[in-house]
């Protein structure tokens, strides 16, 4: 099949030369030529005496009008640019903090809200959810130091437990167990400052909790 | 090759080297002697001691190994030691500065690893608190037989 796209040697040699010629001719035709400068005193120039010169003078007048319009537009744009520069310089405090929260690490309550949203939107895998919930319920009910279970639910990729404790110290004693079976899964917890209410999210075994820092 | 190309190539090389140096991770190795037992049982456990310690525990026990806070995200973590006749499960913990929120990585265990030496590759997570606390937590289940073990070291890589 290679012979089908092969070109004769002579045409290959002429092709670049022909291309150059076309480019040169086009450039010559389109190159702007110097125009006669109109007489400063309004006196017609020598060329304006002929009809061709009259037409050229008319075109020149319309170009001048366009030029004036463009000049005005450029001046307007310059003013706008200067105005926005002034605004940026005079109010730096108003613009910088707005950008900061996008990069700042999230605080615990905000992370909990995002996991709550993810969990609430999740569709349950009934078989896994039922079995996992039972395992966790047995664990929580098996020891009073695990606090009071206010809510316990599993969906598809994680479980959520809402626990209540008498004191912050009781909460801390429970938290020592997070990371040990059956709570050895990837997890996140958040409690109120008093430590009496705690929300715990546990990922499905073999999975990590999703990253909620980018939303 | 022209001089201009040479200079351009040189500049690109220097920029790559500078970028690589700026993005280099910090690796810190901690001795296992820093680990402490956080869950009290009536008997002691020798997991965090060097040398042979024979003990029997009647309840599961948690060992906490602190990580100095460098304000960055943990990208890799390993725990090494040896243990005879027992399983150990370790995970990473991070907590915020108020101790009101925390993440725990999924546990890595020595099950299936030929005894006695173990090295556990802990699963890092994308989350961190830049001014909270970080630690490695290892759990030993209750055992009715004597066993011995250590955490000899743990190595943390932060970005």
């Amino acid at each position: 099949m290679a012979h089908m796209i092969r070109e004769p040697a002579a045409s290959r040699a002429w092709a670049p030369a022909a291309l150059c010629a076309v480019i040169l001719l086009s450039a010559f035709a389109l190159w702007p030529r110097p125009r006669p400068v109109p007489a400063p005193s309004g006196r017609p120039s020598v060329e304006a005496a002929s009809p061709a010169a009259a037409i050229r003078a008319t075109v020149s007048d319309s170009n001048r009008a366009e030029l004036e319009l463009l000049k005005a537009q450029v001046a307007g744009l310059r003013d706008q640019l200067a105005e926005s520069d002034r605004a940026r310089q005079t109010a730096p405090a108003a613009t910088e903090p707005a950008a900061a929260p996008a990069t700042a690490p999230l605080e615990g309550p905000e992370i909990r809200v995002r996991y709550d949203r993810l969990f609430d939107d999740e569709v349950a895998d009934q078989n896994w959810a039922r079995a996992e919930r039972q395992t966790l319920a047995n664990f929580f009910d098996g020891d009073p130091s695990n606090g009071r279970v206010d809510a316990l639910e599993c969906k598809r990729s994680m479980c959520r437990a809402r626990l209540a404790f008498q004191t912050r110290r009781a909460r801390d004693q429970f938290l020592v167990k997070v990371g040990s079976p059956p709570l050895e899964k990837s997890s996140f917890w958040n409690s109120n400052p008093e430590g009496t209410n705690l929300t715990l999210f546990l990922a499905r075994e073999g999975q990590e909790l999703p990253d909620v820092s980018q939303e | 090759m022209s001089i201009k190309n040479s200079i351009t190539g040189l500049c690109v090389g220097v920029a790559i080297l500078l970028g690589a140096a700026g993005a280099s991770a910090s690796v810190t190795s901690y001795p296992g002697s820093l680990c402490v037992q956080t869950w009290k049982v009536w008997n002691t456990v020798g997991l965090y001691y060097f040398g042979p310690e024979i003990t029997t525990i009647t309840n599961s026990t948690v060992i906490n190994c602190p990580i100095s806070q460098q304000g960055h995200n943990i990208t890799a973590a390993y725990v090494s030691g040896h243990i005879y006749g027992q399983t150990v499960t370790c995970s990473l913990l991070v907590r915020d500065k108020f101790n009101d929120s925390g993440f725990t990585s999924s546990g890595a265990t020595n099950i299936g690893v030929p005894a006695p030496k173990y090295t556990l590759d802990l699963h890092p997570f994308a989350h961190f608190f830049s001014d909270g606390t970080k630690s490695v937590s290892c759990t030993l289940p209750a055992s009715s037989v004597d066993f011995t073990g250590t955490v000899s070291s743990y190595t943390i890589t932060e970005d």
Side-chain angles (χ1 to χ4, degrees):
Chain A
M1 295 298 283
H3 68 278
M4 291 180 70
I5 55 169
R6 199 180 296 152
E7 293 173 28
S11 78
R12 274 208 309 273
W14 280 103
L19 188 65
C20 286
V22 167
I23 291 169
L24 281 172
L25 284 171
S26 305
F28 184 74
L30 295 172
W31 198 264
R33 294 186 184 82
R35 292 207 180 98
V37 180
S41 60
R43 200 173 46 196
S45 66
V46 179
E47 279 190 28
S50 67
I55 292 167
R56 220 176 285 138
T58 311
V59 170
S60 179
D61 284 346
S62 96
N63 282 353
R64 246 199 311 276
E66 266 184 48
L67 185 65
E68 289 304 317
L69 188 64
L70 284 172
K71 274 182 182 170
Q73 284 177 347
V74 168
L77 287 171
R78 274 202 190 120
D79 286 348
Q80 280 182 19
L81 194 64
E83 188 71 28
S84 71
D85 278 350
R86 266 196 300 276
R88 209 177 306 142
Q89 282 167 4
T90 52
T95 53
E96 282 168 13
T103 54
L106 293 174
E107 298 290 337
E110 174 62 18
I111 297 170
R112 178 178 52 76
V113 167
R114 292 189 180 195
Y115 276 126
D116 270 331
R117 210 178 297 146
L118 268 182
F119 186 81
D120 290 339
D121 290 346
E122 210 168 60
V123 177
D125 171 353
Q126 292 295 346
N127 288 336
W128 175 81
R130 202 177 300 122
E132 189 66 12
R133 189 192 179 285
Q134 193 56 53
T135 302
L136 292 174
N138 291 343
F139 167 77
F140 285 122
D141 294 343
D143 189 346
S145 71
N146 291 335
R148 188 187 72 232
V149 180
D150 286 342
L152 176 60
E153 194 180 0
C154 296
K155 288 281 189 76
R156 178 172 292 271
S157 70
M158 57 179 137
C159 296
R160 179 176 63 191
R162 307 242 196 239
L163 306 171
F165 297 91
Q166 293 285 337
T167 60
R168 190 178 170 96
R169 184 180 164 80
R171 183 211 69 169
D172 288 345
Q173 283 174 347
F174 163 75
L175 284 174
V176 173
K177 300 177 192 176
V178 176
S180 307
L183 309 181
E184 80 279 28
K185 289 103 180 173
S186 169
S187 64
F188 168 76
W189 60 268
N190 172 248
S191 76
N192 59 342
E194 295 76 30
T196 50
N197 291 305
L198 181 137
T199 302
L200 174 66
F201 293 92
L202 288 160
R204 190 170 183 162
E205 190 153 10
Q207 298 183 11
E208 297 293 320
L209 278 181
D211 182 4
V212 292
S213 57
Q214 309 289 327
E215 204 177 45
Chain B
M1 186 187 282
S2 71
I3 293 173
K4 187 183 169 189
N5 283 349
S6 304
I7 292 169
T8 306
L10 189 67
C11 290
V12 168
V14 168
I16 289 169
L17 285 174
L18 286 174
S24 65
S26 124
V27 182
T28 311
S29 198
Y30 301 87
S33 55
L34 292 174
C35 303
V36 292
Q37 185 179 322
T38 56
W39 194 344
K40 298 214 181 299
V41 290
W42 67 272
N43 211 338
T44 56
V45 62
L47 185 71
Y48 54 92
Y49 294 121
F50 290 101
E53 281 282 330
I54 297 170
T55 183
T56 302
I57 52 173
T58 55
N59 209 336
S60 58
T61 299
V62 177
I63 310 296
N64 195 270
C65 308
I67 300 168
S68 66
Q69 175 60 268
Q70 296 178 39
H72 300 289
N73 194 19
I74 295 174
T75 54
Y78 296 92
V79 185
S80 298
H82 71 263
I83 192 162
Y84 294 90
Q86 188 56 282
T87 58
V88 56
T89 304
C90 297
S91 50
L92 278 170
L93 310 180
V94 295
R95 290 187 177 188
D96 71 356
K97 62 183 173 186
F98 308 111
N99 200 22
D100 286 339
S101 301
F103 285 100
T104 306
S105 69
S106 54
T109 177
N110 68 329
I111 293 172
V113 177
K117 284 190 175 177
Y118 68 86
T119 296
L120 304 181
D121 181 356
L122 307 185
H123 305 108
F125 26 61
H127 307 275
F128 72 105
F129 299 107
S130 54
D131 48 5
T133 58
K134 297 172 181 172
S135 61
V136 171
S137 174
C138 293
T139 306
L140 293 166
S143 173
S144 57
V145 295
D146 291 349
F147 71 95
T148 180
T150 66
V151 169
S152 55
S153 68
Y154 52 107
T155 304
I156 307 297
T157 306
E158 299 196 35
D159 61 11

